[in-house]
Amino acid sequence: MSDLEAFRSETRAWLEENCPATMRSGVGESLTSGEGDICWGGRKFQFKSEDQKLWLERMGSRGWTVPTWPTEYGGGGLSKDEAKILQEELRRIKAKPALVSFGIWMLGPALLKFGTHEQKLEHLPKIARGEIRWCQGYSEPNAGSDLASLATKAEDKGDHYIVNGQKVWTSYADQADWIFCLVRTNPDDKHNGISFVLFDMESEGVSTKPIQLISGYSPFCETFFDNVTVSKTNLVGEENKGWTIAKYLLTHERTGISDMGMPAPLNSLAVEKLGTIDGELEDKMLRHQIAEHEIDAASFVFTMERAKDEAKAGGDMGAFSSMLKGYGTEINKARHELIVKVNGSDAFEWEGQFSNNGEIARSWLRTKANSIEGGTTEVQLNIIAKRILDLPA
Ligand SMILES: Cc1cc2nc3c(=O)[nH]c(=O)nc-3n(C[C@H](O)[C@H](O)[C@H](O)COP(=O)(O)OP(=O)(O)OC[C@H]3O[C@@H](n4cnc5c(N)ncnc54)[C@H](O)[C@@H]3O)c2cc1C
C-alpha cells in the first residue's frame, strides 16, 4: 500500500469514528447567505448543536480545519495530495465544513506570508481551532473600489498607534473578535502610506452599527474607531508597506468568493422537486438549462483547481483571481436562478417549510452581492484587461 493509500484509509477510519452523524448532511444552508447552520467559531458564536461544537473541536485538534498549514501554527501539516484526499473523504461522507472563517480564508494566508513568527504563533492556532473570529476592515465610505484612498488614520505614538476613522460594509463586525484593518500612516503617499494592523474589537473606542441587507439578514456593519490604541507589535509587515499585504489578501478573498460558484446537485434537486417522466424531467428547456449549467460549472471547477494547484506549487495567483472571481460570480448567480426556477413559487416564500424559512429567496438575493463584494465586477474586468490581456490602461 502506498503512503497516500494508507493515508486515505486512516483518514476514512478517523472520519467514520469522529464525524457525528448530524454533521453528515452536506453543506446545508447555502454558504452564500452567510447565516444558517454554518460554523463560524469565535468567542461570541452560538453553536447550533453539541455535535457542531464537537466536530469543530475534533477537526481543530488535528489541524484539519486548515489542513496544509504547518503544525506549529495549528495546521494539519498535510501535503497538497493528502489535503486533496482529506477533501475527497469529507465529501464522500457529505461532511459539513467544521469551520468557515475569514481567518482561514483571508488573514491566515497573509500572516503565513508576511507575519512574524510571534504573530503566526499568536494568531494562527486560534484561527485553526475557531477560537477567534476575524473581520475585514478595508472599505470606507469614500474608499471601496478605489481602496487606496482610505483615510482611517493611525498616528505614531512610539510603541503604539492611535487609530481614528470609519469603515463600512464590515461583514460580521459585530460578531467578530478581532479585525485586520488597513490604516493610513502617511497622508502624503497614496499607496505607500498604508499599513496593515490587527486589533481586538473589544479595544476601547471600537463600535459597530449593523446595516440590513436586501435578503433581510444583517451581517453588515459600519465600524467606528475613536482613539483606539493599537500596539506596534500588531503591525504586520513594515509600516507604510501594507498595500502589498492588502493586495495579496484580496487575491485570496477573490478566489474564495469564486468558490461560491461550486456546482450544487441541481440535477437531483430538480428530480426530487419536480419528479420525472420515463426517467427524465418533463420540462425539456429546464433539462437543457441544467445540463448546460452543470457543464459550465464543472469546467469552472477544473479551471479553479488547476489555478489553485499552480498557486500551491509556488506560482502567483495574482490577477488570475480576478478572472475566477468574475466568472464564479456569474456561475453562482446562474445556479441560484435555476434553483429558484426549480422551486417555483415556493422560492419566494419568506418564511415557511417549503423554502426552509425563506432560505431559497434569501440565498438568491444574496448572490446579487457577489458582483460587488471583494471588488466589483467592473473593477475585476479592468484588472483582467490591464494585467492579463495587457490592454492599455
Ligand atoms: C456582501 C458584501 C460584503 C462585504 N464585506 C466587506 C467586508 O467585510 N469588509 C470590507 O472592508 N468591505 C466589504 N465589502 C465592501 C466591498 O468590498 C465594496 O462594496 C466594493 O469594493 C465596492 O466599493 P464601493 O461599495 O465603495 O463602490 P464604488 O467603488 O463606489 O463603486 C460604485 C460603482 O462604480 C463602479 N466603479 C468604481 N470604480 C470603477 C472603475 N475604475 N471602473 C469601472 N467602474 C468602476 C463600480 O463597479 C460600481 O458599480 C462588502 C461588500 C458586500 C456587497
Side-chain angles (χ1 to χ4, degrees), residues 136 138-139 144-145 169 171 220 366 369 372-374 376 378 382:
Q136 178 188 31
Y138 271 35
S139 307
S145 299
W169 317 130
S171 301
F220 262 172
R366 176 62 180 79
I372 303 172
E373 62 196 320
T376 63
E378 291 82 357
N382 282 347

Side-chain angles (χ1 to χ4, degrees), residues 32 102 106 134-147 167-173 179-180 182 213 219-221 250 253-254 257 325 366 368-382:
T32 53
F102 291 181
M106 295 191 247
W134 289 82
C135 64
Q136 178 188 31
Y138 271 35
S139 307
E140 298 188 5
N142 292 310
S145 299
D146 187 14
L147 181 59
K167 299 286 169 181
V168 72
W169 317 130
T170 333
S171 301
Y172 308 106
I179 185 166
F180 48 92
L182 297 179
L213 280 181
F220 262 172
C221 289
L250 278 176
E253 179 176 16
R254 288 172 183 159
I257 293 171
K325 203 245 165 190
R366 176 62 180 79
K368 307 293 174 200
N370 293 163
S371 55
I372 303 172
E373 62 196 320
T376 63
T377 293
E378 291 82 357
V379 168
Q380 304 317 307
L381 292 175
N382 282 347

